[in-house]
Amino acid sequence: MGRAFVYVILGGGVAAGYAALEFARRGGYSRGELCIISEEAVAPYERPALSKGYLLPEGPARLPGFHTCVGANDELLTTKWYKENGIELVLGTKVMAADIRRKTLLTATGETISYKNLIIATGARALKLEEFGISGSDASNICYLRNLDDADKLVKVMRSCSGGNAVVIGGGYIGMECAAALVTNKIKATMVFPENHCMAHLFTPKIAEYYENYYISKGVTFIKGTVLTSFEKDSTGKVTSVILKDGKHLPADMVVVGIGIRANTSLFEDQLLMDQGGIKVNGQMLTSDGSVYAVGDVAAFPIKLFDGVIRRLEHVDSARRTARHAVAAILEPSKPRDIDYLPFFYSRVFTLSWQFYGNNIGEVVHFGDFTTSNSPRFGAYWVDKSLIRGAFLEGGSREEYEAISNVVRRKVKVANIAELEKQGLMFAIQESQKDIPDGGLVLSEKPMFIWHATAGVIAAASIAAFGYWYGRRRRRW
Protein backbone atom coordinates (compact mmCIF):
# COMPACT_ATOMS: atom_id res chain seq x y z
CA MET A 1 0.00 0.00 0.00
CA GLY A 2 1.32 3.44 -0.85
CA ARG A 3 0.88 6.80 -2.45
CA ALA A 4 2.68 8.55 -5.28
CA PHE A 5 3.39 12.26 -5.75
CA VAL A 6 5.27 14.27 -8.31
CA TYR A 7 6.81 16.48 -5.62
CA VAL A 8 7.48 15.53 -2.00
CA ILE A 9 8.82 17.94 0.63
CA LEU A 10 10.27 15.93 3.51
CA GLY A 11 10.18 17.94 6.72
CA GLY A 12 7.73 20.34 8.30
CA GLY A 13 9.75 23.38 9.35
CA VAL A 14 10.24 26.86 7.97
CA ALA A 15 11.93 25.63 4.77
CA ALA A 16 9.02 23.32 3.97
CA GLY A 17 6.52 26.14 4.39
CA TYR A 18 8.39 28.51 2.11
CA ALA A 19 8.92 25.81 -0.49
CA ALA A 20 5.16 25.23 -0.51
CA LEU A 21 4.53 28.96 -0.86
CA GLU A 22 6.89 29.15 -3.85
CA PHE A 23 5.14 26.21 -5.51
CA ALA A 24 1.77 27.92 -4.99
CA ARG A 25 3.01 31.23 -6.38
CA ARG A 26 4.59 29.68 -9.46
CA GLY A 27 2.05 26.96 -10.15
CA GLY A 28 3.36 24.10 -12.22
CA TYR A 29 1.64 21.35 -10.27
CA SER A 30 -1.86 19.94 -10.12
CA ARG A 31 -3.95 19.17 -7.05
CA GLY A 32 -2.68 16.03 -5.37
CA GLU A 33 0.79 16.14 -6.99
CA LEU A 34 2.56 17.88 -4.08
CA CYS A 35 2.80 16.84 -0.44
CA ILE A 36 4.64 17.72 2.76
CA ILE A 37 5.60 14.90 5.13
CA SER A 38 6.23 16.02 8.70
CA GLU A 39 6.75 14.30 12.03
CA GLU A 40 4.96 17.17 13.74
CA ALA A 41 1.20 17.21 14.03
CA VAL A 42 0.79 20.81 12.81
CA ALA A 43 1.42 22.64 9.56
CA PRO A 44 4.86 24.28 9.16
CA TYR A 45 5.45 27.26 11.43
CA GLU A 46 7.99 30.03 12.06
CA ARG A 47 10.35 28.28 14.48
CA PRO A 48 12.01 31.51 15.81
CA ALA A 49 8.75 32.32 17.60
CA LEU A 50 9.37 29.42 19.99
CA SER A 51 12.27 31.19 21.72
CA LYS A 52 10.63 34.61 21.61
CA GLY A 53 6.91 35.34 21.59
CA TYR A 54 5.90 31.81 22.60
CA LEU A 55 7.62 32.23 25.98
CA LEU A 56 6.06 35.55 26.98
CA PRO A 57 4.15 35.54 30.28
CA GLU A 58 1.49 37.87 28.84
CA GLY A 59 -0.18 37.53 25.44
CA PRO A 60 2.10 34.71 24.26
CA ALA A 61 2.22 33.69 20.61
CA ARG A 62 0.20 30.60 19.77
CA LEU A 63 -0.73 28.83 16.56
CA PRO A 64 -2.17 29.62 14.08
CA GLY A 65 -0.67 33.06 14.67
CA PHE A 66 2.82 32.12 13.50
CA HIS A 67 2.38 29.52 10.79
CA THR A 68 4.95 30.02 8.05
CA CYS A 69 5.03 33.16 5.95
CA VAL A 70 3.64 35.38 8.66
CA GLY A 71 4.57 38.90 7.58
CA ALA A 72 4.35 38.09 3.88
CA ASN A 73 1.34 40.29 3.22
CA ASP A 74 -0.17 38.82 6.41
CA GLU A 75 -0.50 35.46 4.67
CA LEU A 76 -0.70 32.55 7.10
CA LEU A 77 -0.09 29.11 5.65
CA THR A 78 -2.61 27.26 7.79
CA THR A 79 -4.00 23.80 7.03
CA LYS A 80 -6.83 25.58 5.24
CA TRP A 81 -4.33 27.36 2.96
CA TYR A 82 -2.67 24.06 2.01
CA LYS A 83 -6.03 22.49 1.22
CA GLU A 84 -7.10 25.46 -0.90
CA ASN A 85 -3.83 25.24 -2.84
CA GLY A 86 -4.06 21.50 -3.46
CA ILE A 87 -1.09 20.61 -1.27
CA GLU A 88 -1.45 17.48 0.82
CA LEU A 89 -0.17 17.57 4.40
CA VAL A 90 0.99 14.20 5.72
CA LEU A 91 1.41 15.15 9.38
CA GLY A 92 2.45 13.17 12.42
CA THR A 93 4.35 10.84 10.12
CA LYS A 94 7.91 9.65 10.64
CA VAL A 95 9.92 8.44 7.66
CA MET A 96 12.05 5.46 8.66
CA ALA A 97 13.92 4.83 5.42
CA ALA A 98 14.62 6.44 2.07
CA ASP A 99 15.60 4.71 -1.14
CA ILE A 100 17.02 7.30 -3.51
CA ARG A 101 17.50 4.80 -6.36
CA ARG A 102 13.85 3.69 -6.23
CA LYS A 103 12.59 7.18 -5.31
CA THR A 104 10.62 5.93 -2.34
CA LEU A 105 10.15 6.82 1.33
CA LEU A 106 9.03 4.28 3.93
CA THR A 107 6.97 5.59 6.87
CA ALA A 108 6.77 4.19 10.40
CA THR A 109 3.32 2.80 9.60
CA GLY A 110 4.73 0.79 6.71
CA GLU A 111 3.39 3.00 3.93
CA THR A 112 5.56 3.59 0.88
CA ILE A 113 5.45 7.09 -0.60
CA SER A 114 7.05 7.55 -4.01
CA TYR A 115 8.09 10.77 -5.70
CA LYS A 116 9.49 12.19 -8.91
CA ASN A 117 11.29 15.08 -7.19
CA LEU A 118 12.21 15.18 -3.50
CA ILE A 119 13.04 18.28 -1.46
CA ILE A 120 14.84 17.35 1.76
CA ALA A 121 13.90 19.90 4.42
CA THR A 122 14.55 17.76 7.47
CA GLY A 123 16.32 20.56 9.33
CA ALA A 124 18.29 19.76 12.45
CA ARG A 125 17.83 18.36 15.93
CA ALA A 126 18.99 19.70 19.27
CA LEU A 127 22.16 18.11 20.61
CA LYS A 128 21.54 16.18 23.81
CA LEU A 129 23.74 16.13 26.90
CA GLU A 130 24.12 12.36 26.57
CA GLU A 131 26.14 12.96 23.41
CA PHE A 132 28.73 14.62 25.65
CA GLY A 133 28.75 11.86 28.23
CA ILE A 134 26.30 13.47 30.66
CA SER A 135 23.32 11.35 31.66
CA GLY A 136 19.98 12.29 33.15
CA SER A 137 18.64 14.85 30.70
CA ASP A 138 15.31 13.03 30.62
CA ALA A 139 14.36 14.65 33.94
CA SER A 140 10.99 16.39 33.89
CA ASN A 141 12.51 19.81 34.63
CA ILE A 142 15.26 19.68 31.98
CA CYS A 143 14.19 21.42 28.77
CA TYR A 144 15.46 21.59 25.23
CA LEU A 145 13.97 23.87 22.57
CA ARG A 146 13.63 22.87 18.97
CA ASN A 147 9.95 22.21 18.24
CA LEU A 148 6.45 22.95 19.47
CA ASP A 149 6.41 20.08 21.97
CA ASP A 150 9.68 21.33 23.45
CA ALA A 151 8.23 24.83 23.76
CA ASP A 152 5.08 23.56 25.45
CA LYS A 153 7.18 21.69 28.01
CA LEU A 154 9.37 24.75 28.60
CA VAL A 155 6.34 26.96 29.20
CA LYS A 156 4.83 24.41 31.60
CA VAL A 157 8.05 24.10 33.59
CA MET A 158 8.56 27.88 33.70
CA ARG A 159 5.07 28.39 35.09
CA SER A 160 5.86 25.99 37.93
CA CYS A 161 9.14 27.78 38.76
CA SER A 162 8.15 31.44 39.18
CA GLY A 163 10.57 33.03 41.63
CA GLY A 164 12.88 30.01 41.40
CA ASN A 165 16.28 29.32 39.88
CA ALA A 166 17.06 28.24 36.34
CA VAL A 167 20.38 27.15 34.88
CA VAL A 168 20.88 27.67 31.16
CA ILE A 169 23.52 25.45 29.56
CA GLY A 170 24.97 27.13 26.48
CA GLY A 171 25.78 30.68 25.43
CA GLY A 172 24.45 30.74 21.87
CA TYR A 173 21.11 31.73 20.33
CA ILE A 174 18.93 29.42 22.41
CA GLY A 175 20.80 30.17 25.62
CA MET A 176 20.59 33.94 25.16
CA GLU A 177 16.96 34.03 24.06
CA CYS A 178 15.77 31.57 26.71
CA ALA A 179 17.65 33.41 29.47
CA ALA A 180 15.82 36.58 28.46
CA ALA A 181 12.51 34.69 28.57
CA LEU A 182 13.27 33.23 32.01
CA VAL A 183 13.93 36.54 33.74
CA THR A 184 10.90 37.99 31.99
CA ASN A 185 8.93 35.20 33.68
CA LYS A 186 10.45 36.18 37.07
CA ILE A 187 12.86 33.25 37.21
CA LYS A 188 16.50 33.80 38.21
CA ALA A 189 18.71 32.65 35.34
CA THR A 190 22.35 31.57 35.40
CA MET A 191 24.06 30.93 32.07
CA VAL A 192 26.90 28.39 31.94
CA PHE A 193 29.13 27.91 28.90
CA PRO A 194 32.75 26.97 28.15
CA GLU A 195 33.65 29.94 25.96
CA ASN A 196 35.08 33.25 27.19
CA HIS A 197 31.97 35.16 26.19
CA CYS A 198 28.44 34.67 24.87
CA MET A 199 27.69 34.07 21.17
CA ALA A 200 31.36 33.23 20.68
CA HIS A 201 30.87 32.09 17.08
CA LEU A 202 29.75 35.58 16.05
CA PHE A 203 30.24 38.27 18.70
CA THR A 204 33.58 39.96 19.31
CA PRO A 205 34.59 40.28 22.99
CA LYS A 206 33.56 43.94 22.93
CA ILE A 207 30.14 43.24 21.45
CA ALA A 208 29.61 40.34 23.83
CA GLU A 209 30.55 42.52 26.81
CA TYR A 210 27.73 44.90 26.00
CA TYR A 211 25.07 42.19 25.85
CA GLU A 212 26.38 40.42 28.93
CA ASN A 213 26.27 43.66 30.93
CA TYR A 214 22.76 44.31 29.67
CA TYR A 215 21.67 40.82 30.70
CA ILE A 216 23.28 41.25 34.11
CA SER A 217 21.25 44.44 34.59
CA LYS A 218 18.14 42.31 33.96
CA GLY A 219 19.13 39.75 36.57
CA VAL A 220 21.02 37.13 34.52
CA THR A 221 24.23 35.65 35.97
CA PHE A 222 27.08 34.41 33.76
CA ILE A 223 29.48 31.59 34.60
CA LYS A 224 31.99 31.27 31.76
CA GLY A 225 34.85 28.99 30.90
CA THR A 226 33.37 25.84 32.41
CA VAL A 227 30.84 23.08 31.77
CA LEU A 228 28.42 20.95 33.73
CA THR A 229 29.43 17.44 34.68
CA SER A 230 26.34 16.02 36.41
CA PHE A 231 23.10 16.74 38.26
CA GLU A 232 21.75 16.29 41.75
CA LYS A 233 18.15 15.04 41.83
CA ASP A 234 15.45 14.56 44.43
CA SER A 235 13.49 11.38 45.13
CA THR A 236 11.11 12.11 42.24
CA GLY A 237 13.94 12.38 39.70
CA LYS A 238 13.78 16.16 39.35
CA VAL A 239 17.02 18.10 39.11
CA THR A 240 17.76 20.15 42.23
CA SER A 241 21.24 21.37 41.34
CA VAL A 242 23.74 21.48 38.52
CA ILE A 243 27.29 20.37 39.28
CA LEU A 244 30.05 22.12 37.33
CA LYS A 245 33.51 20.88 36.39
CA ASP A 246 35.11 22.94 39.15
CA GLY A 247 32.85 21.30 41.73
CA LYS A 248 30.49 24.24 42.15
CA HIS A 249 26.84 23.38 42.77
CA LEU A 250 24.20 25.66 41.27
CA PRO A 251 20.67 25.42 42.70
CA ALA A 252 18.20 24.63 39.94
CA ASP A 253 14.43 24.40 39.83
CA MET A 254 14.77 23.93 36.08
CA VAL A 255 17.47 23.55 33.44
CA VAL A 256 17.43 24.74 29.81
CA VAL A 257 19.93 23.13 27.45
CA GLY A 258 21.01 24.90 24.27
CA ILE A 259 24.32 23.36 23.19
CA GLY A 260 23.88 23.33 19.45
CA ILE A 261 22.16 21.36 16.73
CA ARG A 262 23.00 18.60 14.28
CA ALA A 263 21.58 18.31 10.77
CA ASN A 264 19.11 15.47 10.22
CA THR A 265 20.98 13.59 7.50
CA SER A 266 20.76 9.97 8.72
CA LEU A 267 18.27 8.85 6.05
CA PHE A 268 20.63 9.86 3.26
CA GLU A 269 24.21 9.52 4.52
CA ASP A 270 25.00 6.43 2.44
CA GLN A 271 23.16 7.67 -0.64
CA LEU A 272 24.05 11.34 -1.13
CA LEU A 273 27.28 13.32 -0.88
CA MET A 274 27.81 15.05 2.47
CA ASP A 275 29.78 18.17 3.45
CA GLN A 276 30.01 20.45 6.50
CA GLY A 277 27.81 18.08 8.47
CA GLY A 278 25.01 18.37 5.94
CA ILE A 279 23.91 17.27 2.47
CA LYS A 280 26.07 18.78 -0.25
CA VAL A 281 24.21 20.66 -2.98
CA ASN A 282 25.12 22.85 -5.94
CA GLY A 283 23.96 26.39 -6.70
CA GLN A 284 20.45 25.15 -7.58
CA MET A 285 20.24 23.28 -4.23
CA LEU A 286 20.50 20.01 -6.20
CA THR A 287 22.17 17.07 -4.44
CA SER A 288 24.40 14.43 -6.01
CA ASP A 289 21.18 12.78 -7.23
CA GLY A 290 19.41 14.55 -10.10
CA SER A 291 15.93 14.25 -8.56
CA VAL A 292 16.73 15.28 -4.99
CA TYR A 293 17.18 18.77 -3.56
CA ALA A 294 18.13 19.83 -0.02
CA VAL A 295 17.28 23.12 1.69
CA GLY A 296 17.51 24.85 5.05
CA ASP A 297 19.68 23.71 7.96
CA VAL A 298 20.41 20.36 6.33
CA ALA A 299 21.88 21.82 3.11
CA ALA A 300 25.56 22.66 2.57
CA PHE A 301 25.68 25.00 -0.42
CA PRO A 302 28.20 27.28 -2.19
CA ILE A 303 28.31 30.92 -1.06
CA LYS A 304 29.19 33.23 -3.94
CA LEU A 305 30.26 35.96 -1.54
CA PHE A 306 32.82 33.54 -0.09
CA ASP A 307 34.14 32.64 -3.56
CA GLY A 308 32.06 29.49 -3.74
CA VAL A 309 33.10 28.02 -0.40
CA ILE A 310 30.58 25.43 0.84
CA ARG A 311 28.75 26.42 4.02
CA ARG A 312 25.84 25.02 6.01
CA LEU A 313 23.96 27.93 7.60
CA GLU A 314 21.74 27.40 10.62
CA HIS A 315 19.33 30.29 10.42
CA VAL A 316 15.74 30.93 9.43
CA ASP A 317 16.65 33.36 6.64
CA SER A 318 18.78 30.74 4.90
CA ALA A 319 15.92 28.24 5.24
CA ARG A 320 13.50 30.62 3.54
CA ARG A 321 15.82 31.59 0.71
CA THR A 322 17.19 28.15 -0.13
CA ALA A 323 13.70 26.64 -0.15
CA ARG A 324 12.37 29.16 -2.60
CA HIS A 325 15.46 28.85 -4.79
CA ALA A 326 15.14 25.07 -4.99
CA VAL A 327 11.52 25.28 -6.11
CA ALA A 328 12.45 27.83 -8.77
CA ALA A 329 15.16 25.46 -10.02
CA ILE A 330 12.72 22.52 -10.14
CA LEU A 331 10.00 24.39 -12.00
CA GLU A 332 12.32 26.26 -14.39
CA PRO A 333 15.12 23.79 -15.23
CA SER A 334 15.79 25.57 -18.51
CA LYS A 335 16.79 28.71 -16.60
CA PRO A 336 19.53 27.49 -14.26
CA ARG A 337 20.62 30.15 -11.80
CA ASP A 338 22.98 29.67 -8.90
CA ILE A 339 21.84 31.00 -5.57
CA ASP A 340 23.55 34.25 -4.61
CA TYR A 341 22.95 34.36 -0.89
CA LEU A 342 24.28 36.94 1.55
CA PRO A 343 24.55 35.19 4.93
CA PHE A 344 22.25 36.99 7.36
CA PHE A 345 21.64 36.49 11.08
CA TYR A 346 19.53 38.41 13.55
CA SER A 347 18.06 38.25 17.02
CA ARG A 348 15.58 40.19 19.16
CA VAL A 349 15.68 40.05 22.96
CA PHE A 350 14.38 42.48 25.59
CA THR A 351 14.40 45.85 23.81
CA LEU A 352 17.48 44.94 21.76
CA SER A 353 17.61 43.97 18.09
CA TRP A 354 20.70 43.25 15.99
CA GLN A 355 21.52 42.10 12.48
CA PHE A 356 24.69 40.66 10.97
CA TYR A 357 25.63 40.16 7.32
CA GLY A 358 28.47 38.33 5.63
CA ASN A 359 31.43 36.65 7.28
CA ASN A 360 33.26 37.52 10.52
CA ILE A 361 36.80 37.19 9.22
CA GLY A 362 39.63 39.71 9.17
CA GLU A 363 40.31 42.78 11.29
CA VAL A 364 37.43 44.06 13.41
CA VAL A 365 36.53 47.75 13.39
CA HIS A 366 34.02 48.72 16.07
CA PHE A 367 31.92 51.87 15.94
CA GLY A 368 29.12 53.62 17.83
CA ASP A 369 28.22 53.99 21.50
CA PHE A 370 28.80 50.86 23.59
CA THR A 371 27.93 52.61 26.87
CA THR A 372 24.23 53.43 26.73
CA SER A 373 21.52 50.99 27.72
CA ASN A 374 18.75 53.20 26.31
CA SER A 375 18.25 52.78 22.54
CA PRO A 376 21.82 51.67 21.83
CA ARG A 377 23.25 51.86 18.34
CA PHE A 378 26.64 50.36 17.72
CA GLY A 379 28.29 47.87 15.43
CA ALA A 380 31.36 46.52 13.73
CA TYR A 381 32.88 45.86 10.33
CA TRP A 382 35.12 42.92 9.49
CA VAL A 383 37.84 43.91 6.99
CA ASP A 384 39.97 41.33 5.18
CA LYS A 385 42.50 42.26 2.49
CA SER A 386 41.13 45.82 2.54
CA LEU A 387 37.59 44.61 1.71
CA ILE A 388 34.55 44.64 4.00
CA ARG A 389 33.58 41.01 4.57
CA GLY A 390 31.04 41.35 7.36
CA ALA A 391 29.03 43.91 9.29
CA PHE A 392 27.06 43.94 12.54
CA LEU A 393 24.62 46.56 13.79
CA GLU A 394 22.56 46.86 16.95
CA GLY A 395 19.55 49.17 17.05
CA GLY A 396 19.56 50.20 13.39
CA SER A 397 16.73 51.45 11.23
CA ARG A 398 15.62 49.60 8.12
CA GLU A 399 17.67 51.95 5.94
CA GLU A 400 20.76 51.52 8.12
CA TYR A 401 20.52 47.74 7.97
CA GLU A 402 20.18 47.98 4.20
CA ALA A 403 23.28 50.14 4.10
CA ILE A 404 25.53 47.75 6.02
CA SER A 405 24.26 44.76 4.05
CA ASN A 406 25.00 46.63 0.84
CA VAL A 407 28.66 47.31 1.64
CA VAL A 408 29.14 43.65 2.57
CA ARG A 409 27.53 42.34 -0.60
CA ARG A 410 29.63 44.70 -2.72
CA LYS A 411 32.82 43.95 -0.75
CA VAL A 412 33.48 47.68 -0.54
CA LYS A 413 37.19 48.57 -0.45
CA VAL A 414 38.52 50.25 2.68
CA ALA A 415 41.39 52.67 2.03
CA ASN A 416 42.02 53.64 5.65
CA ILE A 417 41.03 51.60 8.73
CA ALA A 418 41.32 54.59 11.05
CA GLU A 419 38.99 56.60 8.84
CA LEU A 420 36.51 53.72 8.71
CA GLU A 421 36.46 53.60 12.51
CA LYS A 422 35.92 57.36 12.63
CA GLN A 423 33.08 57.31 10.12
CA GLY A 424 31.40 54.21 11.54
CA LEU A 425 27.88 53.69 10.29
CA MET A 426 28.09 56.79 8.11
CA PHE A 427 30.61 54.98 5.91
CA ALA A 428 28.00 52.39 4.92
CA ILE A 429 25.32 55.04 4.42
CA GLN A 430 27.52 57.14 2.17
CA GLU A 431 28.60 54.11 0.15
CA SER A 432 24.95 53.12 -0.35
CA GLN A 433 24.11 56.58 -1.60
CA LYS A 434 26.59 56.07 -4.42
CA ASP A 435 24.35 53.31 -5.80
CA ILE A 436 21.63 55.60 -7.10
CA PRO A 437 21.83 58.88 -9.05
CA ASP A 438 19.66 61.06 -6.81
CA GLY A 439 21.64 60.26 -3.67
CA GLY A 440 18.65 58.75 -1.92
CA LEU A 441 19.21 56.02 0.63
CA VAL A 442 16.88 53.37 -0.76
CA LEU A 443 18.81 50.92 -2.91
CA SER A 444 17.96 50.75 -6.59
CA GLU A 445 17.18 47.05 -6.35
CA LYS A 446 15.99 45.66 -3.05
CA PRO A 447 17.71 42.33 -2.39
CA MET A 448 15.65 39.39 -1.21
CA PHE A 449 17.54 39.12 2.06
CA ILE A 450 16.28 42.60 2.97
CA TRP A 451 12.70 41.43 2.38
CA HIS A 452 13.34 38.56 4.74
CA ALA A 453 14.80 40.88 7.36
CA THR A 454 11.69 43.02 7.09
CA ALA A 455 9.43 39.97 7.19
CA GLY A 456 11.24 38.80 10.29
CA VAL A 457 10.62 42.11 12.00
CA ILE A 458 6.96 42.05 11.00
CA ALA A 459 6.68 38.49 12.23
CA ALA A 460 8.24 39.35 15.53
CA ALA A 461 5.85 42.26 15.98
CA SER A 462 2.85 40.15 15.11
CA ILE A 463 3.69 37.66 17.85
CA ALA A 464 4.29 40.35 20.47
CA ALA A 465 8.08 40.27 20.49
CA PHE A 466 10.01 41.14 23.58
CA GLY A 467 10.62 44.78 22.74
CA TYR A 468 6.93 45.48 22.30
CA TRP A 469 6.03 43.68 25.49
CA TYR A 470 8.58 45.57 27.57
CA GLY A 471 7.51 48.90 26.11
CA ARG A 472 3.90 48.11 27.00
CA ARG A 473 4.90 47.27 30.56
CA ARG A 474 6.82 50.50 30.98
CA ARG A 475 3.84 52.52 29.85
CA ARG A 476 1.70 50.78 32.48
CA TRP A 477 4.30 51.50 35.16
Side-chain angles (χ1 to χ4, degrees), residues 159-386:
R159 286 175 178 171
S160 70
C161 293
S162 183
N165 296 292
V167 177
V168 178
I169 307 300
Y173 269 108
I174 293 299
M176 294 294 283
E177 295 187 352
C178 285
L182 289 164
V183 296
T184 301
N185 282 273
K186 297 182 171 56
I187 300 170
K188 303 180 194 71
T190 299
M191 293 186 65
V192 178
F193 48 85
E195 297 85 6
N196 293 325
H197 59 77
C198 67
M199 294 289 291
H201 70 290
L202 175 60
F203 288 0
T204 67
K206 185 170 184 176
I207 292 172
E209 182 182 22
Y210 179 87
Y211 290 102
E212 288 179 8
N213 287 336
Y214 191 96
Y215 270 58
I216 290 169
S217 75
K218 298 294 184 181
V220 177
T221 300
F222 289 88
I223 298 179
K224 299 178 281 187
T226 190
V227 295
L228 77 91
T229 57
S230 58
F231 301 106
E232 284 185 337
K233 298 183 180 181
D234 63 17
S235 59
T236 68
K238 282 189 175 182
V239 170
T240 57
S241 69
V242 170
I243 304 173
L244 303 183
K245 190 174 183 179
D246 59 7
K248 184 180 296 184
H249 289 226
L250 303 178
D253 297 294
M254 65 178 294
V255 178
V256 179
V257 181
I259 52 176
I261 62 176
R262 181 164 293 163
N264 292 318
T265 61
S266 59
L267 291 172
F268 308 99
E269 286 175 357
D270 297 327
Q271 304 181 77
L272 300 173
L273 290 179
M274 300 286 152
D275 200 346
Q276 302 293 307
I279 299 172
K280 185 177 182 179
V281 298
N282 65 13
Q284 287 87 49
M285 311 310 295
L286 183 65
T287 71
S288 53
D289 183 278
S291 62
V292 181
Y293 296 74
V295 298
D297 290 350
V298 78
F301 64 98
I303 307 293
K304 279 189 176 181
L305 189 73
F306 303 165
D307 301 320
V309 171
I310 299 291
R311 288 288 179 86
R312 189 176 63 81
L313 301 177
E314 299 170 353
H315 198 270
V316 63
D317 183 68
S318 174
R320 293 167 176 153
R321 282 293 310 277
T322 56
R324 299 179 69 171
H325 193 84
V327 174
I330 291 170
L331 296 180
E332 295 185 349
S334 62
K335 300 178 182 179
R337 180 173 60 90
D338 286 346
I339 191 168
D340 186 7
Y341 180 67
L342 174 60
F344 166 57
F345 302 89
Y346 69 87
S347 185
R348 295 169 62 87
V349 290
F350 297 118
T351 57
L352 305 176
S353 177
W354 58 261
Q355 293 185 17
F356 171 84
Y357 298 88
N359 199 4
N360 55 339
I361 60 170
E363 181 178 354
V364 181
V365 180
H366 295 98
F367 61 85
D369 185 359
F370 283 80
T371 62
T372 181
S373 60
N374 184 27
S375 301
R377 189 171 62 169
F378 60 82
Y381 298 109
W382 280 259
V383 182
D384 183 53
K385 298 178 182 177
S386 298

Side-chain angles (χ1 to χ4, degrees), residues 107-124:
T107 73
T109 61
E111 181 183 14
T112 297
I113 296 177
S114 62
Y115 60 84
K116 182 178 179 181
N117 289 108
L118 175 66
I119 298 178
I120 303 171
T122 48

